[in-house]
Amino acid sequence: MTELKNLGQELSRFRLRIFAAAGFVLFCFSLLAARLVFLQVFKHEELSTRAEANRIAVVPIVPNRGLIVDRNGVVLASNYSAFTLEITPSKVPDLEQTINALAELVEVQPRDRKRFKRLMDEGKSFESLPIRTKLSDEEVARFTAQRFRFPGVEIKARLFRSYPLGAVGSHLIGYIGRINQAEKKLMEDWPDEDLANYRGTDYIGKLGLEQAYEKELHGQTGFEEVETSAGGRAVRRLRSNPPTPGNKLVLSIDIRLQALVEELFADRRGALVAMDPRTGEVLAFVSKPTFDPNLFVDGIDADSWRELNEDADKPLLNRALRGTYPPGSTFKPFMSIAALNSGKRAASTVIMDNLTFSFGGRTFGSPESDRPGPKDMRLAIVQSSNVYFYSLANEMGVDLIHDQLEPFGFGRKTEIDMQGEVTGLLPSTAWKKRAYKKPEQQKWYAGETISLGIGQGYNHFTMLQMATATSTLITGGQRYRPRLVREIEDVVDHRKRRVASDALEPLPLLPEHVQVITQAMHGVTVEGTSRAAFAGAAYQSGGKTGTAQAIGLRAGEKYSNIKADEYKRDHSLYVAFAPVEAPSIAVAVIVENAGFGSTSAAPIARRVFDFLLQGQYPSEQDIALTQKGQTTAPVGATRPIASVPLPGSAEAVAAAASAAASAASNPAKAASAGAKP
């Protein structure tokens, strides 16, 4: 039987479905329209900014680092541009395979791989890290042609720091290096403005003036707005704000004098500080041995670092700033001014010097070269009498010595414009209580005071402190904070800002007391221990030699027993000033383990004075003998300063090449020249 359909009911049902479907479609379109209105109207500004950010990349432009020049304009630190091949590890699927493939296009040495791995360990995977630096034009062309094969690898133009004179003044200038994780953490505490200025900056000053004047040298970072494609490649530049280069540092240092002193030291260890006592400006700041700061700019390799770090001569130690030494007899003029200033002893007081001083059952002796007899203060300084100053130290006591000499800068920082300075040690009873834990060690024994009088015992100072104290003494108490930077020049408007050495409150020294000491020190150069070194000088100078024990001797041990060990020999010291009538130079110098101050340290000071006061550069023969500690007064014909090329300069390299070529063409003549005394 056939079932009849209800057409009216079916039609009604169909219409209902049509309306439901239409309603659903309308509802969906309403949602889309509402979303469109929300995005286009209410979120327009935010989304527009986001889209613009996706389209436009803001790229920081690192500024040129400021130059460093000496007082005469000789460039000590500059910049040059070079291409680097860089990898962003997070964008590279197989890092090892990528590096191996790159090595087929450009040279990638094992040290490059090691440096890259170290940078990865220190940095983050999304940072661009160099696998090769200073690419040649040919290498750049080879990679560019194959760039499509290496996602996450790109060539960048980077600025590199250059130190044209190499190792000359390396401890003074310092160096820059890649910012490490510890430095990044410290930078997080910087003000937002300073932190923003280092966007894109990978390198920072690590040592010396590069570190101390980092913010002056860095400059202001610029930016560039670049339109990018969907793939992130730059399409066109929209606008830019150029960076402002860092300021130029003009030093008070005379780099030719610096180079001369470093040459006179040769392979010996030591330090020298020469300064103008009238202003506090430092003229030479020498620490030997030196190192080549160019090794650190590109990231020093492990072998070079190990060689520097494990060297027994410690070439990375800034001895002028951080090396502390017993001052030996160079301390005696300061003991004398302390005695006069405190009223403990008059200049005319005579002490009988029998070459020994007994105290508490112990006998303190004198060098075999000392002469016995009655001595007043002047003669005690000229002849460097130990007994005179043993007895003076005993009379004054450790705390009076400390209170009188601490204002000269002993045992505290000079606050020179460089980081890392140490305080040295000027002992006192309060210091010993702080320094030791056991009660028996905290007690100061009277016998410990005796050796302080001749600059031994606990006394330990830097050559910077010795030079500063000498300056204070010879100027009658005028004190300055020593300074290495003379001017800061703005490279935009070329305005120069003078960096004056801060004048401190003068010490209350009586002129007649100062005259006693300075005349006695002048006597040292005329009739005393440095007379041979200053024979024939066209100016009058004052000085004091010193010979300080590098180590203490055990009971029953004689100095002759340790002479064979170079590092245990006595240090050679000299403090000096010139001219006597109006001092313009003060010098403190130490040659480690070189013996008597008169044979090694004083001859170097003489040549510093000849350079600054007479414009004389020593002969090659004289330099060779001074390097061996075999000179006193200069020998050979002196040369005009300007005629001698700076070590490391293009002129010096050319001269060395010419000399080598000449020697190769005439070996007999070269051998004959080398045999001359």
Side-chain angles (χ1 to χ4, degrees), residues 22 33 83 121 189 201 262 312 338 381 389 421 426 461 511 554 559 643:
F83 291 108
D121 293 339
D189 297 329
T201 299
E262 291 182 5
I381 293 175
F389 291 98
E421 182 182 7
L426 180 66
F461 312 119
R554 295 187 295 270
Y559 178 66
S643 69

Side-chain angles (χ1 to χ4, degrees), residues 626-663:
T626 305
Q627 291 172 340
K628 300 174 183 177
Q630 296 176 359
T631 52
T632 49
V635 297
T638 59
R639 297 170 283 175
I641 294 171
S643 69
V644 182
L646 273 165
S649 65
E651 295 88 346
V653 172
S658 176
S662 176

